[in-house]
Amino acid sequence: MNWTALTVFTFFFMLVTVVGFVAARWRRGNLNLLDEWGLAGRRFGTFVTWFVVGGDFYTAYTVIAVPALVFGVGAAGFFALPYTIIVYPFVFLTMPRLWAVAKQHGFITPADFVRGRYGSSGLALAVAVTGMLATMPYIALQLVGLQVVIRAMGIMGTGLMRELPLIIAFTILALYTYTSGLRAPALIAFVKDVMIYIMVIVAVTAIPTVLGGYGEVFRAAGEALAAKKPPGYLILPPAGFSPYATLAFGSALAAFVYPHTVTSILSSSSGHVIKRNAVLLPAYTFLLGLIALLGLMALAAGVKPVTPNDAVPQLFLKIFPSWFTGFCFAAIAIGALVPAAIMSIAAANTFTRNVYREYINPDCSLQQEAQMAKIVSLVVKVGALAFIIFLPLQYAILLQLLGGIWILETFPAIIFGLFTRWLHHRALLAGWATGMITGTAMVAASGFKSSIYTIHVGTLAISAYAGVFALALNLLVSVALTPLCDAFGMKRLDDTTRPEDYDEDAAEVFAMNSGRPAH
């Protein structure tokens, strides 16, 4: 047992626990309303939104999994960098429109918008269920980061005793999320980001110094990758160009249609806040590049982890003194709590608004709605915890892999819907079903081991991210069936939104008139 690391870890964990409960008093609002509990009253300005979106988007699993992928395969693991470069122009162009129309109509989830835009409860349910399916394993994987650092400190045992620290940590998370809603992860995100930045800056400065400099790190990592079976690559080979590019592109399109990223966006106080954040958030991409380098450093340091996910913790244990290792492990663990909280809130919002209110209790009061969301957020966390404790980790990874492909199939209904209503809702539903089935089939063809699929056109073999292939088919079906739906007289349902609702300036005026000035 590494008692020094454990003591430092426990101190910071208790610190954020206090912060999580105090958050209920921060920017006071009526937490018995879903708008206040689930979106913090949509009052976050540029500064807070930067931490909320960054805290949600750059998770503990990112800190563990990105360098783990680099440790395992080399250059391909750096796909996360172009992905996060592509995503911010996309956010700049689309998310202020979503914020504006959501503000005008009180939409809280992506499925709320789809319901209002197309009038179709079936299409909205498809978007809602897809969002929940994609989010659940994502929450479970946040626990992996927490689990890895707990075990790295030497906390062992058998059966449930082995998982007791994880259960305690997630119980505390569940309680302060229930109490404070989105305010808790927002406030904790300040602590998390400061700690992560300190950890990474020290790591990329001190570790290469110990290992003989960056030149030696790259040389040794290259040799270690070449010795792997199958070999990894320090420089991406030509055969990897297409999978790399499509994985980055598809992941970028999917990133901001997840319910939890939309939750972060809708908590902003204005469309201009979102645009400013789209300019400022690439600072995290710089950080992500440094985090990815930790995979190469682990290779150069010759660590022998049980799994690639253990590479970074083992590197820290080998290089850093125990007290700083404890600090780093606490940073990673807190990095799990922030996104897990936001994701569980987003899943709870989605169930409450698009299943409970729509199909189970349409006449529920606003207070009943908020209470149901709080209860569901607890159920979601318990489900994620059970997933990690009782099922092999591979299942969570598999479902997260599929979740990325599935959530991409909601892209046409949500994002195209922000600009045009030309696509017929029945065509969109058929396109969604086509994308879900074909995307799943492509991953199944690899034995559920890879999201890269190869299609053969004559003698040409094209390998790419299955989500991009599935989205292309989704769009093809949606576009082809729309004129047919109209030709056969299939009625288009009512659109409750108006063109001016998508103007963020008009929405800010609306916010001011409703007593909630934009920041």
Side-chain angles (χ1 to χ4, degrees):
M1 181 83 75
N2 190 332
W3 287 105
T4 304
L6 183 61
T7 302
V8 175
F9 177 91
T10 304
F11 169 78
F12 281 101
F13 198 87
M14 295 308 295
L15 174 67
V16 298
T17 299
V18 173
V19 170
F21 283 109
V22 168
R25 300 171 180 273
W26 181 48
R27 296 172 179 244
R28 283 179 181 274
N30 184 356
L31 293 175
N32 292 317
L33 299 176
L34 190 57
D35 208 44
E36 287 287 347
W37 181 83
L39 293 181
R42 307 179 200 250
R43 288 197 293 268
F44 290 157
T46 303
F47 185 69
V48 179
T49 298
W50 190 82
F51 282 99
V52 172
V53 176
D56 175 37
F57 196 39
Y58 296 88
T59 67
Y61 191 64
T62 303
V63 175
I64 293 294
V66 170
L69 188 58
V70 172
F71 181 87
V73 302
F78 282 88
F79 89 92
L81 267 73
Y83 148 42
T84 56
I85 291 169
I86 296 168
V87 79
Y88 295 119
F90 172 79
V91 168
F92 188 94
L93 292 172
T94 59
M95 291 297 110
R97 291 178 69 84
L98 180 59
W99 177 88
V101 70
K103 179 68 183 176
Q104 295 275 19
H105 292 271
F107 299 150
I108 288 179
T109 69
D112 275 354
F113 164 68
V114 169
R115 180 75 166 90
R117 180 60 156 163
Y118 298 98
S120 168
S121 57
L123 184 59
L125 181 63
V127 170
V129 170
T130 308
M132 289 187 285
L133 278 176
T135 302
M136 284 296 293
Y138 216 158
I139 299 170
L141 283 184
Q142 298 315 307
L143 294 179
V144 172
L146 199 52
Q147 200 175 38
V148 164
V149 296
I150 287 173
R151 289 181 183 171
M153 287 184 291
I155 299 175
M156 300 294 179
T158 57
L160 280 180
M161 287 305 294
R162 188 182 61 174
E163 309 295 352
L164 189 59
L166 195 64
I167 294 170
I168 293 171
F170 230 52
T171 301
I172 293 171
L173 167 71
L175 291 176
Y176 64 62
T177 304
Y178 182 93
T179 305
S180 307
L182 192 62
R183 287 168 172 79
L187 204 53
I188 293 172
F190 289 99
V191 182
K192 172 233 171 188
D193 278 3
V194 170
M195 293 180 71
I196 290 282
Y197 265 96
I198 291 172
M199 177 190 86
V200 173
I201 290 170
V202 171
V204 300
T205 305
I207 295 175
T209 303
V210 173
L211 297 178
Y214 269 101
E216 179 59 22
V217 167
F218 282 105
R219 187 200 63 75
E223 287 183 2
L225 285 168
K228 284 180 177 286
K229 294 179 181 179
Y233 298 94
L234 200 57
I235 304 295
L236 200 66
F241 290 176
S242 176
Y244 182 91
T246 53
L247 192 56
F249 181 66
S251 300
L253 296 185
F256 277 81
V257 290
Y258 274 102
H260 61 93
T261 45
V262 170
T263 294
S264 299
I265 288 293
L266 296 187
S267 68
S268 305
S269 61
S270 75
H272 294 293
V273 163
I274 296 167
K275 286 183 174 178
R276 283 195 288 273
N277 267 278
V279 175
L280 298 173
L281 279 166
Y284 280 104
T285 303
F286 173 71
L287 184 71
L288 185 60
L290 299 180
I291 289 171
L293 285 175
L294 295 177
L296 297 182
M297 293 178 199
L299 285 165
V303 300
K304 305 292 183 188
V306 177
T307 71
N309 282 338
D310 296 302
V312 168
Q314 292 303 317
L315 175 67
F316 289 170
L317 283 169
K318 182 171 184 174
I319 301 292
F320 290 144
S322 293
W323 67 268
F324 192 69
T325 302
F327 176 87
C328 295
F329 287 177
I332 295 171
I334 296 167
L337 301 184
V338 172
I342 299 175
M343 288 171 191
S344 67
I345 289 170
N349 289 347
T350 302
F351 176 83
T352 303
R353 294 283 291 205
N354 308 117
V355 178
Y356 178 72
R357 176 176 276 279
E358 182 77 28
Y359 294 100
I360 300 173
N361 187 5
D363 299 322
C364 68
S365 66
L366 294 176
Q367 288 72 26
Q368 287 175 317
E369 188 181 65
Q371 186 61 31
M372 175 55 64
K374 292 178 183 179
I375 293 169
V376 173
S377 79
L378 293 177
V379 172
V380 165
K381 291 187 191 74
V382 171
L385 190 60
F387 206 113
I388 288 294
I389 292 176
F390 297 112
L391 294 177
L393 174 61
Q394 188 57 36
Y395 289 175
I397 294 173
L398 165 65
L399 283 175
Q400 204 271 338
L401 182 151
L402 285 170
I405 295 169
W406 292 341
I407 201 68
L408 199 50
E409 308 316 314
T410 66
F411 182 92
I414 299 170
I415 302 302
F416 289 175
L418 292 171
F419 297 92
T420 176
R421 201 171 174 264
W422 181 80
L423 292 167
H424 196 287
H425 68 274
R426 292 182 185 276
L428 281 167
L429 197 54
W432 166 83
T434 302
M436 293 286 284
I437 293 168
T438 54
T440 305
M442 288 178 199
V443 176
S446 74
F448 295 101
K449 294 178 180 174
S450 172
S451 61
I452 303 302
Y453 186 75
T454 302
I455 61 171
H456 298 273
V457 182
T459 58
L460 185 65
I462 304 172
S463 295
Y465 178 40
V468 170
F469 284 140
L471 178 61
L473 288 170
N474 178 343
L475 289 172
L476 188 64
V477 169
S478 298
V479 170
L481 290 185
T482 289
L484 291 177
C485 289
D486 289 334
F488 283 101
M490 294 179 182
K491 184 182 177 184
R492 287 178 181 255
L493 302 173
D494 291 339
D495 176 7
T496 61
T497 70
R498 303 162 301 168
E500 56 268 31
D501 294 341
Y502 296 85
D503 183 337
E504 66 255 34
D505 291 326
E508 286 183 42
V509 171
F510 171 79
M512 293 180 69
N513 290 338
S514 64
R516 291 178 178 172
H519 295 186

